[in-house]
């Protein structure tokens, strides 16, 4: 029952992926239970989930970038991206892609927090506290003017 055994399906996939490297692909688009739980526990609006961050400012510094990255949760007021990763992110390929995504987002001024699904499942409160602490630090940075030092 595997559709990739059908040569027509394989050809459709090949055509749809033409010209796109694996670096430009990503995101499964499905909300995870952990992503939803963290969003709700933080009291964020649903619009915070699958937040889109354009990568245009990083184009000249990184090769093969997608036009944007989707992050599991995004808080644009403080430029905080939160990723909740599953087991597949432990593979060599995804570790590389995650480091690259973090580097691109950092380059364009976003802070990235990463949690494992297991962390959210086992200690949601600890994850929430880490996010709130980071938000507090980022607010402090953005509201402090350089002349106050």
């Amino acid at each position: 029952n595997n559709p990739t055994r059908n040569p027509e399906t394989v050809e459709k996939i090949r055509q749809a992926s033409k010209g796109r490297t694996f670096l430009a692909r990503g995101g499964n688009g499905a909300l995870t239970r952990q992503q939803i739980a963290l969003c709700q526990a933080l009291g964020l609006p649903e619009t915070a989930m699958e937040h889109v961050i354009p990568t245009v400012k990083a184009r000249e510094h990184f090769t093969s970038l997608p036009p944007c990255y989707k992050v599991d949760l995004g808080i644009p007021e403080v430029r905080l991206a939160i990723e909740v990763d599953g087991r597949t992110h432990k593979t060599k390929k995804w570790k590389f892609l995650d480091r690259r995504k973090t580097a691109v987002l950092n380059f364009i001024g976003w802070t990235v927090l990463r949690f494992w699904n297991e962390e959210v499942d086992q200690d949601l409160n600890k994850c929430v506290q880490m996010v709130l602490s980071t938000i507090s630090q980022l607010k402090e940075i953005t509201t402090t003017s350089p002349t106050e030092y």
Side-chain angles (χ1 to χ4, degrees):
N1 231 6
N2 185 344
T4 59
R5 291 179 191 236
N6 179 338
E8 290 175 20
T9 302
V10 172
E11 185 56 30
K12 283 182 185 177
I13 293 169
R14 187 174 289 122
Q15 290 301 316
S17 300
K18 209 174 217 175
R20 296 176 67 208
T21 68
F22 77 95
L23 295 175
R25 299 181 201 141
N28 65 7
L31 300 177
T32 65
R33 173 172 48 83
Q34 294 83 1
Q35 181 182 2
I36 294 166
L38 190 55
C39 185
Q40 290 174 343
L42 288 164
L44 297 174
E46 284 187 25
T47 56
M49 291 188 281
E50 297 294 305
H51 183 77
V52 176
I53 302 171
T55 59
V56 69
K57 292 180 182 177
R59 289 243 171 223
E60 293 180 17
H61 302 279
F62 296 88
T63 58
S64 192
L65 276 183
C68 61
Y69 276 125
K70 276 188 185 176
V71 294
D72 292 331
L73 297 170
I75 307 171
E77 299 80 22
V78 290
R79 299 176 72 87
L80 177 61
I82 302 164
E83 296 281 68
V84 184
D85 298 330
R87 269 184 261 143
T88 58
H89 289 263
K90 294 180 181 182
T91 64
K92 186 177 181 179
K93 175 182 170 181
W94 279 105
K95 284 180 183 179
F96 169 77
L97 292 172
D98 288 342
R99 281 193 305 271
R100 186 170 186 275
K101 183 176 184 178
T102 297
V104 170
L105 292 175
N106 288 163
F107 179 83
I108 58 178
W110 284 72
T111 299
V112 180
L113 278 181
R114 288 189 177 276
F115 298 103
W116 293 107
N117 282 339
E118 295 82 16
E119 285 181 278
V120 176
D121 286 339
Q122 293 170 6
D123 199 347
L124 178 60
N125 195 41
K126 180 181 173 188
C127 297
V128 167
Q129 291 308 313
M130 187 177 295
V131 172
L132 294 176
S133 173
T134 303
I135 290 170
S136 178
Q137 291 171 5
L138 291 170
K139 281 183 177 178
E140 190 175 304
I141 291 168
T142 57
T143 57
T144 305
S145 72
T147 57
E148 290 181 32
Y149 289 106

